[in-house]
């Protein structure tokens, strides 16, 4: 029996250089012709190992990885959990061991059979700190594996309540033991092998990847024989791609462009609430050590106005890192828009519009719809209450680099993805100081969140995260902004299945 409850999801329903590279390499820039599909995507693949390095925990790259590799446990479009390379999984009654059954009849792209040894090797490798898996502290909680036929058992070294949820999330991909050991990391980067519906046929760093359907895929065969994913980081260029017909699908474009495009003949669209949230990390440095400054910055933001004016109503304002649909969402926790309160708080610390508090805020530009413009608007709101913030623009890869080394600015805009909806993978890892994803490092949060990672009583664990969320809101340790709605535009002769996770999967596209 699977001891993994399905979470309620009712709350969710240098482009020019890249294109030049496509032309030079001979890859066609025309859209689908019946067996071919072209996607204009907003982020380039940086590594073909989906289990190591910063790229492995980038939610936006999971769509590409999921076309080539399979996870231990799968997720349906509504985020309910389903068998993946594991067909069954469970804790023992006393939570001291786990049991997993490996799917039979699965082939690697090189023709070899998937074996339970591949699964065990992948889990051991993920748990080894030397391999660079960012989630090592999760995978290291099981060990002493044993294999009997297709069944794997392991000891629980430290109880992880969300272990099986993690097996459907970041870095939870199975890699081929024999092939990887034969070719090594560099060889795997040059010729990645997975069990997914598509094989990597051609790849040019920063430009595109061309995928070919894998004829021996264990699941449903994908509709298109060839899929070309162009890496088009500029949102205006993605709009041009879909409008010109050079791409069949694109996503994460400005909402006014979404509304305009879907009104055109030959184009259709989906705009669905997803598990991603927009937030402002606050770093425990400089002026952010002042609680009055932190709370003033939060109360000064009119989130609904930003959603209405910049996002054309596509978004849901939030006050915690638990969004509607997450297991620990608590709608009673609200940080109100109150600019007068902001002024009072700043005055208590000696700041005013004549003597503003100053700091830098970092943001991407064009990675998510209106990301830079949202920060511009927020900086304008801050200016009115006595906060003068300087905007620094960087690429999303730079954000990961700075966050990993704890060198972000006092404020940094980011979109947090949590497709499994568990509080440990939102509030937990983003606010727990020892986590590589955290920015705020104070001992009070370490003491409050640490025990929740191993709490065996599920009701107590969820309530504990709600209590932590309330405490974080009261202290102003982070500024949650909104739950995203993801716009997808595609040719009208296609049918696209949107995923609440925000994944745009080539295998979920078909001819209408």
């Amino acid at each position: 029996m699977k001891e993994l409850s399905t979470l309620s999801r009712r709350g969710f329903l240098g482009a020019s250089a890249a294109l030049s590279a496509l032309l030079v390499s001979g890859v066609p820039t025309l859209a689908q012709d019946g067996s071919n599909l072209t996607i204009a995507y907003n982020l380039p693949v940086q590594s073909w190992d989906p289990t190591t390095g910063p790229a492995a925990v980038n939610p936006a790259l999971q769509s590409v990885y999921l076309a080539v590799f399979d996870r231990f446990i799968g997720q349906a479009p509504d985020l309910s959990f389903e068998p993946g390379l594991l067909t069954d999984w469970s804790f023992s009654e006393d939570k001291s061991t786990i049991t997993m059954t490996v799917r039979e009849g699965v082939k690697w792209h090189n023709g070899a059979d998937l074996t339970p040894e591949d699964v065990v090797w992948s889990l051991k490798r993920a748990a080894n700190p030397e391999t660079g898996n960012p989630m090592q502290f999760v995978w290291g909680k099981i060990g002493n594996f044993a294999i009997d036929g297709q069944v794997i058992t392991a000891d629980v070294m430290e109880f992880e309540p969300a272990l099986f949820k993690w097996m459907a999330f970041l870095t939870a991909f199975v890699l081929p033991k024999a092939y990887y050991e034969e070719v090594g990391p560099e060889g795997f980067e040059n010729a990645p092998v997975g069990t997914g519906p598509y094989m990597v046929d051609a790849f040019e760093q920063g430009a595109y990847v061309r995928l070919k359907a894998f004829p021996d895929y264990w699941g449903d065969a994908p509709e298109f024989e060839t899929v070309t994913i162009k890496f088009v980081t500029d949102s205006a260029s993605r709009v041009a791609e879909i409008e010109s017909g050079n791409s069949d699908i694109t996503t994460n474009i400005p909402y006014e462009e979404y509304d305009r495009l879907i009104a055109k003949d030959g184009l259709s669209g989906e705009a669905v609430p997803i598990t991603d949230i927009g937030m402002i990390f606050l770093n425990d440095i400089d002026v952010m050590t002042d609680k009055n400054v932190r709370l003033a910055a939060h109360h000064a933001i009119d989130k609904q106005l930003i959603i209405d004016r910049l996002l054309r109503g596509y978004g849901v304002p939030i006050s915690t890192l638990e969004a509607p649909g997450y297991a620990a969402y608590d709608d009673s926790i609200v940080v109100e828009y109150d600019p007068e309160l902001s002024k009072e708080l700043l005055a208590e610390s000696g700041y005013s519009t004549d003597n503003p508090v100053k700091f830098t805020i970092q943001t991407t530009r064009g990675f998510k719809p209106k990301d830079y413009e949202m920060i511009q608007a927020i900086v304008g709101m801050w200016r009115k209450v006595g906060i003068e913030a300087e905007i620094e623009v960087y690429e999303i890869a730079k954000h990961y680099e700075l966050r990993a080394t704890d060198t972000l600015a006092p404020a940094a805009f980011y979109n947090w993805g949590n497709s499994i909806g568990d509080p440990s993978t939102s509030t937990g890892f983003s606010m727990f100081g020892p986590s590589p994803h955290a920015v705020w490092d104070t001992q009070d949060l370490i003491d409050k969140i640490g025990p929740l990672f191993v709490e065996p009583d599920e009701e107590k664990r969820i309530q504990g995260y709600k209590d932590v969320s309330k405490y974080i809101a009261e202290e102003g340790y982070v500024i949650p902004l909104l739950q995203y709605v993801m716009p997808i535009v595609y040719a009208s002769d296609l049918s696209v299945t949107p995923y609440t996770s925000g994944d745009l999967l080539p295998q979920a596209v078909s001819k209408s």
Side-chain angles (χ1 to χ4, degrees), residues 280 282 287-303 306 335-353 355-359 361 377-389 411 440 472-481:
I280 297 175
L282 300 181
V287 297
M288 288 307 169
T289 59
D290 186 333
K291 179 179 177 180
N292 288 333
V293 171
R294 299 193 303 267
L295 289 175
H298 198 166
H299 285 292
I301 300 173
D302 190 339
K303 300 170 188 177
I306 289 172
V335 178
E336 299 285 357
Y337 168 58
D338 191 342
E340 294 306 314
L341 176 57
S342 294
K343 292 177 183 178
E344 293 173 10
L345 290 167
L346 289 171
E348 290 179 16
S349 293
Y351 301 112
S352 66
T353 52
N355 179 38
V357 60
K358 298 180 180 181
F359 56 84
I361 181 168
I378 288 170
V379 168
M381 294 173 183
W382 282 344
R383 191 176 298 116
K384 293 178 180 178
V385 300
I387 298 173
E388 185 177 314
W440 196 267
I472 290 172
E474 292 171 346
E475 293 295 320
Y477 287 154
V478 69
I479 302 179
L481 295 173

Side-chain angles (χ1 to χ4, degrees), residues 291 294-295 320 333 427 431 440 442-449 464-478:
K291 179 179 177 180
R294 299 193 303 267
L295 289 175
T320 74
I333 305 172
T427 300
M431 301 303 297
W440 196 267
T442 53
Q443 190 63 43
D444 56 343
L445 282 189
I446 294 174
D447 293 342
K448 289 179 180 296
I449 295 174
Y465 274 111
K466 290 181 179 181
D467 294 342
V468 167
S469 292
K470 182 178 181 182
Y471 177 76
I472 290 172
E474 292 171 346
E475 293 295 320
Y477 287 154
V478 69

